[in-house]
Amino acid sequence: MDSDNVLHLLDADWSLLTDGRLAFVPRLSLTGLRPHQGRYREVQSHCATIPKAADINLISAEETERAMKSIGKPGGDRIFVIDIRQRPSEDTKTEDDHSILADLGKWRAQIRQDYQDLFQPPTGVPPPGEDDFRILTDPTAKVPHRQPYRMTPAEREEFVEQIKKLLANGWNTDTHSRYAAPVIFVKKSNGTLRMCVDYRGLNKITVKDRYPLPYIDDLFDKLHGGRIFTKLNLASGYQQVRIHPDECHKTAFIAPEGFYEYKVIPFGLANAPAAFMLLMHRIL
């Protein structure tokens, strides 16, 4: 096969390797490409159109021969040799790349030193603002008030310990609300207990908010051309969103060991995910 029909795909997926055997890739779109006379043609922007390995069909020598005979005929096939190259490994990084990474390490350590208070576990109630969480309910609906669920001795002990932490952080307080949701415990994979509040009664009468998730393709498009990426892991994210004082009584939960309400967003509320995503969108 002459070099007119040789294409060199840079940064292609290694799943295309087929032990040196010919393969037929039906959905490999190379529309508008013209190989250069007497040399390789490098194609970078079309690698995303290569299908997965499961979509590649190996063909026999007879099928290859028939396909080659149809070259040049109207509506005939076009055959290309695809040369797959491995992406640069860590060993191929330049001195500039290592210098950048070293500077980033020093910069990160300095940031943590200068802003130690921001890297501590969150405590207290955030200051009031426009993002205070609201729980809008149907005014004609009956206020949900449930009796507490029974607890085992281990669950009672765990409830007391977790309530102490919540009160110490300022996230909970005693209440005399007309609302009341029971507490249940769910065992984690490590054997410990997670305290959950059964807010199904409150969620049933809550006016639902909607905040759509962004398209993942749009997010990836924004990363085009980037070389260094960072990530943000917000610890105790819900506990850093304040509930409006007029709505705190609706989060009341009851247990044999006490009656409390939240000052920050707990897990289980119907509109909590939408409110948190809206807040993150404004911040980021």
Side-chain angles (χ1 to χ4, degrees):
M1 185 176 297
D2 57 35
S3 58
D4 286 354
N5 288 332
V6 175
L7 292 178
H8 175 202
L9 298 186
L10 297 180
D11 290 337
D13 193 337
W14 272 97
S15 63
L16 281 177
L17 287 178
T18 55
D19 299 329
R21 292 174 291 176
L22 292 174
F24 177 56
V25 186
R27 288 194 292 274
L28 178 58
S29 175
L30 298 174
T31 304
L33 296 180
R34 293 294 182 270
H36 286 191
Q37 179 69 29
R39 60 187 179 91
Y40 288 102
R41 171 70 178 251
E42 296 183 351
V43 182
Q44 291 179 324
S45 60
H46 293 260
C47 293
T49 61
I50 299 175
K52 298 179 180 179
D55 299 325
I56 299 175
N57 302 318
L58 299 179
I59 60 177
S60 64
E62 290 79 9
E63 292 173 315
T64 305
E65 185 178 358
R66 287 197 299 269
M68 294 182 67
K69 290 180 178 179
S70 65
I71 296 177
K73 296 181 180 180
D77 297 327
R78 298 179 63 194
I79 297 181
F80 298 94
V81 174
I82 301 178
D83 177 24
I84 301 177
R85 299 289 182 89
Q86 188 177 13
R87 294 184 179 183
S89 63
E90 294 292 327
D91 297 336
T92 62
K93 288 184 177 179
T94 65
E95 293 183 1
D96 292 340
D97 293 332
H98 289 290
S99 177
I100 291 174
L101 293 177
D103 291 341
L104 283 176
K106 297 178 181 179
W107 176 78
R108 183 175 59 181
Q110 187 64 42
I111 289 294
R112 292 180 64 90
Q113 179 68 26
D114 295 342
Y115 301 95
Q116 293 186 23
D117 56 324
L118 298 180
F119 292 95
Q120 301 301 319
T123 58
V125 179
E130 62 177 351
D131 294 312
D132 285 356
F133 183 66
R134 289 276 191 173
I135 306 175
L136 303 180
T137 55
D138 183 357
T140 64
K142 182 180 178 180
V143 173
H145 187 101
R146 300 281 301 278
Q147 293 298 317
Y149 295 148
R150 296 185 62 184
M151 294 184 180
T152 65
E155 291 175 341
R156 285 174 179 266
E157 182 178 351
E158 183 66 24
F159 178 82
V160 172
E161 290 297 324
Q162 295 198 27
I163 283 296
K164 287 182 180 179
K165 295 179 181 179
L166 292 173
L167 294 174
N169 287 333
W171 296 342
N172 285 67
T173 185
D174 295 313
T175 185
H176 299 284
S177 173
R178 295 187 302 138
Y179 291 76
V183 173
I184 59 176
F185 283 90
V186 179
K187 183 174 291 187
K188 301 180 183 179
S189 58
N190 59 5
T192 59
L193 296 174
R194 183 195 304 275
M195 188 180 78
C196 305
V197 181
D198 186 0
Y199 281 123
R200 286 179 294 180
L202 174 61
N203 292 337
K204 187 176 181 180
I205 65 172
T206 298
V207 179
K208 305 300 187 296
D209 292 337
R210 295 289 185 268
Y211 189 80
L213 287 171
Y215 286 107
I216 190 65
D217 291 340
D218 293 339
L219 297 180
F220 282 135
D221 289 342
K222 294 181 179 180
L223 301 179
H224 175 71
R227 294 182 59 192
I228 300 174
F229 304 94
T230 61
K231 66 178 180 178
L232 176 65
N233 187 3
L234 186 60
S236 302
Y238 276 17
Q239 283 72 35
Q240 298 186 55
V241 183
R242 182 175 181 264
I243 298 179
H244 194 280
D246 295 342
E247 312 292 343
C248 289
H249 69 283
K250 297 178 182 179
T251 67
F253 60 94
I254 190 170
E257 305 298 331
F259 192 22
Y260 306 91
E261 67 183 34
Y262 277 97
K263 295 182 180 180
V264 293
I265 294 183
F267 288 101
L269 294 179
N271 292 333
F276 188 76
M277 284 190 292
L278 176 61
L279 176 61
M280 291 298 100
H281 182 75
R282 290 179 179 177
I283 293 176
L284 302 177

